[in-house]
Amino acid sequence: MAEGEVKQSTAENTAYDRNDLPELLPIYYKRLFPYGPYYKWLSYGGVQKSYFHNREFSFTLKDDIYIRYQSFADQSEMEKEIQRVMPYKIDIGAVFSHKPKDHKTVKPGAFQAQEKELVFDIDMTDYDDVRNCCSGANICEKCWPLMVIAIKIVDRALRDDFGFEHRLWVYSGRRGVHCWVCDESTRQLSQTARTAIAEYLSVVKGGESQTKKVSLREPMHPSLKAAFEIMTKHLKHYLFEQQDILGTEDRLKKVLRLFPEADILLRIRKNTWQILREILQEDAEKGGDSEDIWKRWLGTVRSEKERDNMKKSPFPLHEVVFQYCYPRLDVNVSKGVNHLLKSPFCIHPKTGRVCVPIDVEDVDNFDPFAVPTISTLCKEIDEYKEQPGKENEPQPGTKRKVQDYQKTSLKKSVDTFNKFVKGLSVMWRGKMIENSDQKGDF
């Protein structure tokens, strides 16, 4: 990559040809898809025998043929069906009262969604009004930090504010991220509770016609304070350097429109009433880069607050940071128990990239542009096979054959997923012991 060139991903510019998908999917589903840990995850250790049986899957086939209400008795049946139909996309739905494949034989009203992981969908297109580099399906290294910030903020809140332990973050394969919260109590939440949690995490509100979408009041909620601390660590690199939000006249005007209008914040200067927006514009006209201007603004706002001029809008600069950086959730995805969401490890048909799990502890180093495409993975298998003695070489210290995914760049992602499933196993083992003790009481 040439100096100064920005890595960018679009539906068209990845080294992948969608026409090759019919030939590549059989290889991927036969040799690389991690059926074992995938089944362990969605069956939750078989604590409830019907849990996996009653789980809905949906398949999107070639030519956008969409099939809902798929369900399977066990891992073997799931594997065979996926390898038979070769879905271009897999979505995971709720656990129903009956087997989804039998839903037409159930009396009307009796077929009901009963449980589902609490899920979150964060899409880069929802940030188009604050991105200065890309729009639509396009992403680049200048705007990807928005997803990093979103993961950090939402994950902290889910862990610390709600006590949820089992959270799986997944790259969507194109322009966003998903989160699956898998605690037992979470899977049993009502639609009302799911909506309340999603609303709790929603700060940026308003449609395209609304300019100012964040309003903060004093005292600031502890969760918002924690979120602001996370965003503050990204201000210099993301907001000032990569997005340069005050670096041009148009960008400056766009930010200034977020400040209070004449009837909210006033001060006397040269015997005339002047609004905060005008004062900050004068500060900006003194020159410097985005960071220089922001530092002057901090001093001005601090001075205004000391004069007691900030009662109706106590956090004007905080609000700018929240509007430009805070996570934007699709609340409708989170609140519905029966809402379907793209499965981890399926292939995004437009980019060819795998929907890989993200290690939250190393999220700063996650590179969406390094996520392998199905074309890359199939090539890596072939190249590994061509190396003499490699195909059946056992893993060091074991007699086990090397798994196919371990021959490719998918290994790190599968290892991350295995770590997550292993953490879940502690939960379901405890539940099995609890159930065993209860049976022993009779």
Side-chain angles (χ1 to χ4, degrees), residues 296-307:
R296 285 199 293 274
W297 282 6
L298 287 171
T300 295
V301 169
R302 191 180 303 114
S303 177
E304 291 299 307
K305 200 159 189 175
E306 290 173 356
R307 291 185 175 91

Side-chain angles (χ1 to χ4, degrees), residues 129 210-213 246 249-261 275 277-278 280-281 297 316 319-320 323-324:
D129 62 315
Q210 186 169 330
T211 301
K212 188 173 184 293
K213 299 179 181 179
L246 307 174
E249 184 177 352
D250 287 342
R251 293 176 186 178
L252 176 63
K253 287 180 179 179
K254 186 177 178 180
V255 175
L256 286 170
R257 284 196 291 268
L258 302 179
F259 292 104
E261 300 198 48
I275 62 173
R277 185 186 298 180
E278 293 174 352
L280 297 179
Q281 183 168 357
W297 282 6
E319 290 174 346
V320 174
Q323 180 142 339
Y324 272 76

Side-chain angles (χ1 to χ4, degrees), residues 78-90:
M78 175 182 68
E79 284 190 42
K80 290 176 181 177
E81 185 62 11
I82 289 177
Q83 292 174 18
R84 185 185 73 82
V85 302
M86 299 297 168
Y88 275 40
K89 181 186 172 201
I90 301 172

Side-chain angles (χ1 to χ4, degrees), residues 413-433:
S413 300
V414 176
D415 288 346
T416 297
F417 187 56
N418 278 325
K419 180 181 177 182
F420 168 75
V421 174
K422 186 177 180 180
L424 276 176
S425 68
V426 176
M427 175 180 65
W428 67 56
R429 284 171 189 164
K431 189 65 178 178
M432 291 178 76
I433 293 172

Side-chain angles (χ1 to χ4, degrees), residues 134-192:
C134 303
S135 63
N138 297 350
I139 65 170
C140 73
E141 60 185 3
K142 287 188 175 182
C143 56
W144 180 255
L146 283 168
M147 295 295 103
V148 175
I149 294 169
I151 290 172
K152 289 181 178 180
I153 289 175
V154 175
D155 194 73
R156 186 219 62 80
L158 293 172
R159 180 191 68 233
D160 297 344
D161 298 354
F162 294 98
F164 299 147
E165 296 182 25
H166 305 285
R167 309 170 307 279
L168 175 66
W169 285 93
V170 181
Y171 171 51
S172 71
R174 193 181 192 188
R175 59 176 183 250
V177 294
H178 303 150
C179 180
W180 300 75
V181 188
C182 303
D183 300 57
E184 181 183 11
S185 59
T186 313
R187 303 197 307 270
Q188 298 170 353
L189 289 173
S190 66
Q191 179 168 321
T192 301

Side-chain angles (χ1 to χ4, degrees), residues 195 213 247 309 319 392 440:
T195 303
K213 299 179 181 179
N309 289 334
E319 290 174 346
N392 295 307

